[in-house]
Amino acid sequence: MRKAFSLVELLIILGVLMSVSAALAPAFTTLLGDIPRSYRVAQENTRLLGMLEQMRKDIDTARRLPESFAGYTTDDKLLLIELADCVIAYQLKDGRLLRRRLTSTGQGGDEDATVWSLPHAKVEWQVWKKDDKRYAVEIKTCIEYEIRGRCQKKMANSHLYFVGAFSEVLK
């Protein structure tokens, strides 16, 4: 009756275990890398959706979308929205999106400023106009990550928001 394994049996078992672990190592590496990255993408997408919801509320209640206000001009990095009591400026800057209230002197109140940190998000807006009347804003968003040397886009969307008075006409 045998009470132990022979050296040959142990070497065979070790060889099989090494082969199986070598075959599964890339799967575990991918799994351990993808789960945290997916979590970060989901977190950034949540922040992006929160920013879009605030922007939608501002545009829905807007009186108009001015071309310029107090020295600021709407472009691909700055969006101006005129509300009943103030002008809101959305500004893309260094992986962040800032929302500030502007006064007639052009100074933004920092106490009212909201900042969304979106380091991997790409946000682009385009103001739609007809007959020099600016009536809607199209916002394209996506989250870009470099994975194994390739740039991948996640959560790509396009949103179209109509200025308050125009959306009432459509109803």
Side-chain angles (χ1 to χ4, degrees):
M1 181 139 272
R2 280 177 40 175
K3 293 186 179 182
F5 293 104
S6 71
L7 182 59
V8 173
E9 290 171 330
L10 285 175
L11 288 175
I12 290 173
I13 290 172
L14 285 174
V16 169
L17 283 175
M18 286 177 35
S19 300
V20 169
S21 63
L24 294 177
F28 282 120
T29 303
T30 300
L31 184 66
L32 293 175
D34 285 349
I35 289 174
R37 186 180 314 110
S38 297
Y39 180 72
R40 287 190 304 270
V41 168
Q43 280 186 318
E44 191 156 359
N45 188 52
T46 301
R47 286 192 303 269
L48 188 61
L49 290 174
M51 179 274 304
L52 286 169
E53 180 61 21
Q54 180 63 54
M55 194 176 268
R56 182 198 60 80
K57 287 177 185 177
D58 288 340
I59 294 171
D60 279 352
T61 59
R63 290 175 44 195
R64 66 186 187 102
L65 300 168
E67 181 81 33
S68 62
F69 178 79
Y72 292 96
T73 304
T74 297
D75 58 17
D76 60 339
K77 300 286 183 198
L78 182 75
L79 177 66
L80 298 172
I81 302 170
E82 183 179 323
L83 302 179
D85 59 342
C86 65
V87 173
I88 301 292
Y90 283 91
Q91 184 176 17
L92 292 168
K93 188 176 185 181
D94 302 327
R96 299 179 308 158
L97 193 129
L98 290 83
R99 178 190 182 270
R100 295 181 296 156
R101 289 178 177 264
L102 298 178
T103 63
S104 58
T105 61
Q107 297 299 317
D110 288 337
E111 64 279 350
D112 290 336
T114 306
V115 179
W116 291 276
S117 177
L118 304 166
H120 299 100
K122 185 175 181 184
V123 180
E124 298 174 345
W125 50 67
Q126 176 185 359
V127 177
W128 288 19
K129 57 184 171 181
K130 183 175 183 180
D131 301 328
D132 289 332
K133 292 185 180 176
R134 301 155 66 89
Y135 64 92
V137 178
E138 179 182 12
I139 304 167
K140 294 180 182 178
T141 62
C142 70
I143 298 174
E144 294 180 342
Y145 272 93
E146 188 170 315
I147 301 171
R148 294 181 202 94
R150 292 181 40 214
C151 184
Q152 291 189 352
K153 292 183 179 184
K154 304 278 187 184
M155 313 289 191
N157 290 299
S158 182
H159 308 270
L160 182 61
Y161 302 122
F162 291 94
V163 173
F166 190 76
S167 63
E168 293 298 321
V169 172
L170 291 177
K171 288 181 181 177

